[in-house]
Amino acid sequence: MSAAKISSTRILLLFLFMNIINYVDRQVVSGVLPLLKDHFTLTDTALGLLGTAFMITYTLTAIPFGAWSDRWKPHKVAAIGVAVWSLATVSSALAWSFASLFIFRALVGIGEAAYVSTASTILSNVYPENKRSGILGLFNLGMPIGGAIGVVLGGWIGAKFGWQWAFFLVGVPGLILAYLAWKLPLPKPVNAPTRPKFSLRELGVLMKNRAFFWSALGYAGISFAFGAIVLFVPTFFQRELGYELGTATMLAGALQVGAGLLGAPIGGYVADFWQKRDKRGRAYTLVLSMAASAILLWGGLLFHSLTLFFLSAFFMLWHVGVAASLIFDVTEPGVWNTANAFAMFMMHLLGDIPSPVIVGYISDKASLTTAFAVMPIAMLFASVCFWRASRHQSKESSKTPRLV
């Protein structure tokens, strides 16, 4: 099948399904967290380390995979990543100790780094710039949908058959999707220059781009809050609000997918609409949505209000297509994979690598409610960073080469 006959819709759907499985495999651990706590006799700090294990390897390998993608075929790099994380998820079912499970979850991070470093860039090349936030918002529906499925399936399968089966069953579908991605006959972007051998100097150039720097730092603030909350929210509902595990995972999944199905496309639409009138529109969208999410989360914790938790998640999930689009807005197409990977590196190093452990530690010393109360501070920090990014942003939009 020739590249000319590949529809952009087909590419979007394939990468959307891969992204759903991505978050299923990532968040299944959240659904079985109470079971793992009992099975391995773990503290909340140790449970937080399971999230950190994934993010450490994810962060360390994102930049090499991004640089490789700028110089080879991004969709094949993505396919390799999907295969690696799927095999690592299946292998998690064989864990015989906390240390072995830690290692398997760390291997999941390597696979996801290869995929995430490339997927958004491929779609940004397939679709025009004025649709970028909306398309990436649709693609990133994999976050709330897959995350919710992972939490719910993890809790349900774990309660019925044991946590081992939860890891095994959710890991298999990714292998099929990896094969389909490998077979896509996609060319390089038509205007993409031939890239020389990777040099750390490339990262230095990106760091001097102040709009990129503040955008990536804002991304880190989102990641700090979102990563810890998603990991612990079923446990929060069980422990702090008194729900049974099955009900807690179902509630957490429903809240996440409902907020995502509304928040991601609405956020993308608002950002694209604003962007047509002001080239800083995407940054301004993130400034407002992160501030709103922070205030609503504090209200939810104060009143134990599921409505306020939902609204906080709704505004939080406005970022899923918009923040990625902003990274592409402020960098050149020839380094998009590297820029995206570097942004992911900063996001995870400063965000959801430390935050699960911090939340777990505060929870051990005080309570999960107290630990969650720290998260809105990170959201407000993100809001300030995106405002700073807008101050350095060019008034001209980037030119986007297309694949098809």
Side-chain angles (χ1 to χ4, degrees):
M1 184 177 185
S2 66
K5 294 182 180 179
I6 301 174
S7 72
S8 56
T9 301
R10 175 189 165 187
I11 296 169
L12 173 61
L13 287 175
L14 176 59
F15 278 86
L16 172 59
F17 285 132
M18 285 194 292
N19 209 28
I20 290 173
I21 297 299
N22 169 18
Y23 282 95
V24 170
D25 289 4
R26 182 188 298 193
Q27 298 301 339
V28 66
V29 70
S30 181
V32 298
L33 219 57
L35 301 177
L36 296 174
K37 182 181 179 69
D38 292 340
H39 184 89
F40 294 113
T41 316
L42 303 173
T43 64
D44 284 352
T45 304
L47 292 175
L49 283 171
L50 290 177
T52 298
F54 163 89
M55 289 303 173
I56 289 174
T57 52
Y58 184 106
T59 301
L60 292 177
T61 56
I63 293 175
F65 280 125
W68 183 24
S69 299
D70 277 332
R71 290 155 178 82
W72 192 46
K73 299 178 179 179
H75 65 286
K76 291 192 179 294
V77 177
I80 291 170
V82 177
V84 169
W85 97 52
S86 299
L87 288 171
T89 300
V90 171
S91 298
S92 297
L94 306 176
W96 58 91
S97 65
F98 173 75
S100 63
L101 182 59
F102 183 94
I103 292 171
F104 288 133
R105 295 306 294 171
L107 292 175
V108 172
I110 295 176
E112 291 205 22
Y115 169 75
V116 175
S117 298
T118 59
S120 295
T121 306
I122 291 170
L123 293 174
S124 292
N125 280 321
V126 168
Y127 286 91
E129 188 274 341
N130 62 359
K131 295 183 178 180
R132 186 181 297 155
S133 291
I135 292 301
L136 292 183
L138 289 174
F139 163 69
N140 280 294
L141 282 176
M143 178 188 294
I145 295 174
I149 292 172
V151 171
V152 173
L153 274 183
W156 184 78
I157 297 172
K160 290 283 187 179
F161 308 106
W163 60 265
Q164 295 90 340
W165 279 103
F167 285 116
F168 179 81
L169 292 175
V170 303
V172 173
L175 298 173
I176 299 171
L177 295 174
Y179 173 78
L180 295 176
W182 181 269
K183 299 298 290 184
L184 280 176
L186 293 179
K188 289 185 177 181
V190 292
N191 295 326
T194 301
R195 303 292 300 163
K197 185 177 179 181
F198 174 74
S199 169
L200 288 177
R201 186 178 180 184
E202 211 167 293
L203 303 183
V205 173
L206 284 171
M207 287 295 287
K208 292 178 182 178
N209 179 339
R210 307 312 292 172
F212 169 83
F213 172 79
W214 285 109
S215 297
L217 208 56
Y219 224 152
I222 296 173
S223 177
F224 188 97
F226 189 77
I229 291 172
V230 168
L231 180 66
F232 280 104
V233 72
T235 304
F236 175 86
F237 286 154
Q238 180 196 37
R239 187 184 303 170
E240 303 292 305
L241 302 186
Y243 292 100
E244 295 182 353
L245 175 60
T247 304
T249 55
M250 287 292 291
L251 185 59
L255 187 148
Q256 185 174 336
V257 74
L261 286 173
L262 291 173
I266 289 175
Y269 174 80
V270 171
D272 282 339
F273 181 83
W274 202 340
Q275 188 80 1
K276 292 175 184 177
R277 287 151 180 78
D278 187 325
K279 294 305 177 184
R280 299 182 177 95
R282 289 183 180 127
Y284 291 153
T285 300
L286 293 167
V287 171
L288 294 178
S289 62
M290 290 305 104
S293 181
I295 294 169
L296 288 163
L297 179 56
W298 267 323
L301 292 170
L302 180 62
F303 299 107
H304 278 188
S305 168
L306 292 179
T307 300
L308 293 178
F309 287 145
F310 175 83
L311 290 173
S312 176
F314 167 75
F315 283 108
M316 164 70 80
L317 288 165
W318 276 32
H319 87 273
V320 295
V322 184
S325 297
L326 184 60
I327 295 296
F328 298 137
D329 286 345
V330 300
T331 54
E332 293 297 322
V335 296
W336 271 357
N337 287 305
T338 303
N340 189 40
F342 193 26
M344 296 301 102
F345 173 83
M346 291 179 63
M347 177 180 85
H348 295 303
L349 181 67
L350 302 175
D352 49 14
I353 283 180
S355 67
V357 179
I358 291 171
V359 166
Y361 178 81
I362 297 174
S363 176
D364 286 333
K365 297 297 182 181
S367 69
L368 264 180
T369 297
T370 303
F372 273 25
V374 176
M375 299 302 102
I377 298 172
M379 297 182 200
L380 293 177
F381 171 79
S383 181
V384 171
C385 288
F386 289 123
W387 180 81
R388 290 295 302 272
S390 73
R391 300 300 89 195
H392 295 280
Q393 197 173 355
S394 170
K395 295 181 180 179
E396 298 297 324
S397 63
S398 59
K399 301 296 182 180
T400 308
R402 297 183 65 187
L403 287 173
V404 294

